[in-house]
Amino acid sequence: MLASQRRDNIYKLIKENGQASVSYLSEVFSVSEVTIRQDLITLEEMDLIKREYGGAVLKDVDVYSRTLSLANTSHMPEKQAIAKEAFKLVKRNDTIILDSGSTVTELAKLLVEVSGITVITNALNIALILGVNPGINLIVTGGEFKAPTLSLTGEKAAQFFNGLHADKLFLATAGMAIKSGLTYPSLSDICVKKAMIESSATTYLLADSSKLEQSSFAKLGDLSLVDVLITDSHMDSEKERLLVSNGVKYIKAKPLKI
């Protein structure tokens, strides 16, 4: 891995988790702690992170917790269109799992008016959105808190799904590609997402087209883990051809009317 690629992955990991220690990064990227410290100096000079003793934190990481805002708010019209398409799939008496993430959060905003469903989520912002509706049976996992994604993660969050069954999972991703499969910046999320998939009868992946044929650091698994991809109408013909030729089922959401 080139130094620039490693630094990019380090930043993505810190942006996802909110912080990371030098020792952890050294182990994950299989380089010396001296190399990691130099990488962190470079990222701090780029005004992306703030170095602290033993590691680094995302710049202004406290803002996300105080304002209950998500770090990733790009491509919102596409995400809202995807959420509207996903909303059509939720039926009364369904038990659904909502993963953390900005696109799934848009789905939660639509579901807040629905009654007679059970929602299981590891996203605290989604729990607060849906918690205002007493007609929704809301269940929140335990786990370690991550400020940039307002989510609970790690082994305790994964163990929560043992013995649970859901009709549908609405899953988020950082990257989706034919060769690399489903990928994420954070290793701690992998076990949670696997547990969600194993607990669900049907898995819907909500991913805007900017994430297609993109890869992040940690691999969850092949695309066969997903039953249906819901993406936006901006997917180009080459990406669509790859999906078709590899047997990936997908739905293209119609653009929202302005």
Side-chain angles (χ1 to χ4, degrees), residues 186-238:
S186 175
L187 289 168
S188 64
D189 287 338
I190 299 300
C191 60
V192 181
K193 294 177 190 296
K194 282 183 177 178
M196 288 177 171
I197 292 170
E198 290 171 359
S199 298
S200 304
T202 306
T203 296
Y204 296 97
L205 179 68
L206 309 188
D208 66 81
S209 56
S210 70
K211 295 178 179 178
L212 305 185
E213 287 308 300
Q214 297 295 317
S215 297
S216 195
F217 176 68
K219 181 174 180 177
L220 172 62
D222 296 331
L223 298 186
S224 58
L225 291 172
V226 172
D227 294 294
V228 181
L229 161 70
I230 307 178
T231 189
D232 61 76
S233 61
H234 295 158
M235 177 172 57
D236 62 45
S237 57
E238 177 58 23

Side-chain angles (χ1 to χ4, degrees), residues 23 33 40 60 73 84 87 94 99 105-106 111 123 135 172 218 222:
S23 59
E33 293 190 3
L40 295 180
D60 300 325
T73 57
K84 187 175 180 180
F87 176 75
D94 270 352
D99 193 7
T105 296
E106 293 305 310
L111 291 172
D222 296 331

Side-chain angles (χ1 to χ4, degrees), residues 16-18 65 144-153 186 188-189:
E16 180 79 8
N17 288 345
S65 295
E144 303 162 21
F145 178 63
K146 294 199 308 181
T149 57
L150 301 173
S151 64
L152 300 168
T153 190
S186 175
S188 64
D189 287 338

Side-chain angles (χ1 to χ4, degrees), residues 14-152:
I14 294 174
K15 186 178 179 182
E16 180 79 8
N17 288 345
Q19 57 80 36
S21 68
V22 169
S23 59
Y24 174 72
L25 293 171
S26 174
E27 181 180 353
V28 168
F29 293 97
S30 300
V31 294
S32 69
E33 293 190 3
V34 172
T35 298
I36 291 296
R37 288 192 184 94
Q38 186 57 55
D39 288 335
L40 295 180
I41 290 172
T42 301
L43 290 172
E44 186 175 50
E45 290 173 347
M46 295 169 67
D47 204 28
L48 296 174
I49 64 160
K50 180 182 177 182
R51 286 188 300 137
E52 294 190 341
Y53 180 77
V57 297
L58 184 65
K59 189 178 179 185
D60 300 325
V61 66
D62 60 313
V63 171
Y64 304 112
S65 295
R66 285 192 284 106
T67 63
L68 290 176
S69 58
L70 294 171
N72 184 7
T73 57
S74 60
H75 304 283
M76 287 309 297
E78 291 83 0
K79 292 174 179 180
Q80 288 166 351
I82 291 168
K84 187 175 180 180
E85 199 67 40
F87 176 75
K88 299 175 185 177
L89 300 169
V90 180
K91 308 300 179 184
R92 187 172 180 84
N93 297 321
D94 270 352
T95 295
I96 66 173
I97 298 173
L98 297 183
D99 193 7
S100 61
S102 53
T103 308
V104 185
T105 296
E106 293 305 310
L107 172 57
K109 292 175 182 178
L110 299 176
L111 291 172
V112 72
E113 301 297 333
V114 176
S115 294
I117 61 172
T118 295
V119 176
I120 307 168
T121 187
N122 67 325
L124 296 186
N125 64 317
I126 288 176
L128 291 172
I129 290 169
L130 298 180
V132 301
N133 183 350
I136 294 176
N137 180 27
L138 179 63
I139 302 170
V140 183
T141 73
E144 303 162 21
F145 178 63
K146 294 199 308 181
T149 57
L150 301 173
S151 64
L152 300 168

